[in-house]
Amino acid sequence: MNNIFKILSVFAICVVIASCSKSSSTDPEPLRDYATQYATDIAAIDTYINTHYLTRDADYNVSFDTLLPSSGHSSIRTDTAFQLKDTTVTEDGINYKIYFIKFREGTEKRPTQVDSVHVSYKGFNLLKSATFDQAVTPTWFKLQEVITGWSHILPNFHTGTYTPGTGGNPTTFDNYGAGVMFLPSGLAYYNFSAGTIPSYSPIIFSFKLHELRYRDQDGDGILSKDERKLDPTISASIRWKENPATIVYKLDNTGAMVTDIPFLDTDSDGYANMYDIDDDGDHVLTRVEIKNPSGGLYLYNMIPDCSGSTSDPNRVRKHIDPACQ
């Protein structure tokens, strides 16, 4: 089930692909040129979209088949029952196009790339049109620990509603986000194999986003989604909601910290606020600085500035102002 994992280790420079048995991955293939491999992958994806059709049932379970002249179906690209969308994301110096389908957006909460999601899914090998992984029962994943295509696409969706199961009956989900994503190998396993998926394989996932947990990586009382910083040079056409930036924090092969966008590091100590328990470097823990008069913690939108005011939405909140303790 867990072939989807792609974990960034703080202590190693390799990417680890995990399965249920944690033994399905082999040694990585020699690293290919990203641009050359992407050209191969996107050509295969475009061909697949033009030559296959998609069917789904009332519960958004998806299957694919080859388009034949006598089939009476439309290709994935031209089917008017849904709209094939695409977005462009930049990773490893490549502008990747990701095709995706939004059957239903969902009605409740939207994840960011630093949160955990509760999803059911099915993975398809694009080149073989065969299922390689699935979770019929929803499973929890941290979006920072999965293949990066997921962390780009799932923030375009929302969770739904659910009724907890009682008396032996299962929990029922409704109004959840549901869709399909077509991923080039550079946003999937790339030069690693995973289960029956060979290295350098473009893949497809259908998915249902049932629930999420907003994470607080450093335990400072402020959700990590509120401790991000976006690149101000990114145009409005590709802002976070449509095209969230890639993983905020990782190590390069020298052990140095690198980022794909500027991260919020208020005290310039080299640790992003989402990993820093003292965001302004004043030697007072953030969790202490955001205590409210009742002894609890302020919600992020209610954290005042040093004067105690909350009226200015662009105020410098007290926990990131070193002059305010």
Side-chain angles (χ1 to χ4, degrees):
M1 178 188 301
N2 294 339
N3 286 336
I4 188 174
F5 276 114
K6 183 180 180 183
I7 305 176
L8 293 171
S9 174
V10 175
F11 305 103
I13 63 174
C14 63
V15 178
V16 179
I17 307 298
S19 66
C20 281
S21 65
K22 298 189 183 296
S23 62
S24 64
S25 298
T26 60
D27 291 335
E29 295 290 323
L31 196 64
R32 297 178 184 175
D33 177 74
Y34 285 104
T36 301
Q37 184 59 41
Y38 171 61
T40 299
D41 288 347
I42 196 62
I45 292 171
D46 276 322
T47 297
Y48 189 94
I49 287 172
N50 292 334
T51 60
H52 288 73
Y53 67 91
L54 178 158
T55 56
R56 71 171 193 204
D57 63 19
D59 293 322
Y60 301 100
N61 298 309
V62 172
S63 62
F64 301 91
D65 208 342
T66 303
L67 183 66
L68 300 174
S70 60
S71 68
H73 293 280
S74 299
S75 71
I76 296 170
R77 191 179 301 277
T78 61
D79 197 330
T80 57
F82 51 81
Q83 182 182 357
L84 181 69
K85 300 175 180 287
D86 66 79
T87 186
T88 301
V89 301
T90 301
E91 193 165 308
D92 298 312
I94 304 300
N95 292 326
Y96 287 101
K97 176 187 284 189
I98 307 179
Y99 289 107
F100 67 101
I101 296 169
K102 187 179 289 187
F103 295 132
R104 183 166 65 184
E105 184 167 335
T107 60
E108 303 299 314
K109 298 176 291 184
R110 183 177 67 83
T112 70
Q113 286 186 312
V114 297
D115 298 316
S116 296
V117 292
H118 197 218
V119 292
S120 55
Y121 66 90
K122 192 172 185 179
F124 302 86
N125 183 333
L126 181 139
L127 299 180
K128 295 184 178 181
S129 291
T131 301
F132 73 90
D133 190 19
Q134 64 179 324
V136 177
T137 301
T139 303
W140 283 102
F141 293 110
K142 297 175 182 178
L143 281 178
Q144 288 177 291
E145 297 178 358
V146 298
I147 56 176
T148 54
W150 276 50
S151 61
H152 287 298
I153 295 301
L154 285 179
N156 287 277
F157 293 78
H158 292 70
T159 64
T161 57
Y162 63 92
T163 302
T166 57
N169 295 315
T171 297
T172 57
F173 298 92
D174 200 5
N175 303 313
Y176 49 79
V180 175
M181 64 180 88
F182 301 82
L183 301 179
S185 64
L187 300 177
Y189 304 114
Y190 203 55
N191 61 322
F192 284 80
S193 61
T196 61
I197 293 292
S199 57
Y200 299 112
S201 294
I203 56 179
I204 308 169
F205 277 103
S206 64
F207 57 89
K208 306 169 192 177
L209 175 59
H210 296 294
E211 184 56 285
L212 68 85
R213 295 183 186 132
Y214 291 123
R215 297 182 66 200
D216 177 8
Q217 270 84 342
D218 56 3
D220 66 355
I222 301 177
L223 295 176
S224 295
K225 72 182 182 68
D226 295 322
E227 295 197 277
R228 299 169 299 142
K229 178 179 180 181
L230 302 185
D231 187 343
T233 65
I234 293 178
S235 67
S237 63
I238 53 171
R239 58 191 185 273
W240 177 273
K241 180 178 180 181
E242 291 79 13
N243 179 18
T246 52
I247 293 172
V248 175
Y249 171 85
K250 61 184 179 182
L251 302 178
D252 67 12
N253 58 8
T254 68
M257 185 167 66
V258 295
T259 56
D260 294 290
I261 60 167
F263 56 87
L264 184 59
D265 179 13
T266 305
D267 55 4
S268 302
D269 63 355
Y271 293 93
N273 282 13
M274 61 184 289
Y275 300 104
D276 192 344
I277 60 175
D278 178 11
D279 292 333
D280 56 6
D282 63 357
H283 306 294
V284 179
L285 296 179
T286 296
R287 194 174 187 88
V288 173
E289 293 194 88
I290 63 169
K291 282 187 177 180
N292 62 36
S294 300
L297 301 180
Y298 284 111
L299 296 176
Y300 178 74
N301 288 337
M302 295 305 296
I303 298 174
D305 61 19
C306 206
S307 70
S309 173
T310 60
S311 60
D312 183 359
N314 298 315
R315 65 189 177 278
V316 178
R317 288 168 171 80
K318 60 187 299 184
H319 71 289
I320 57 174
D321 184 349
C324 180
Q325 298 181 3

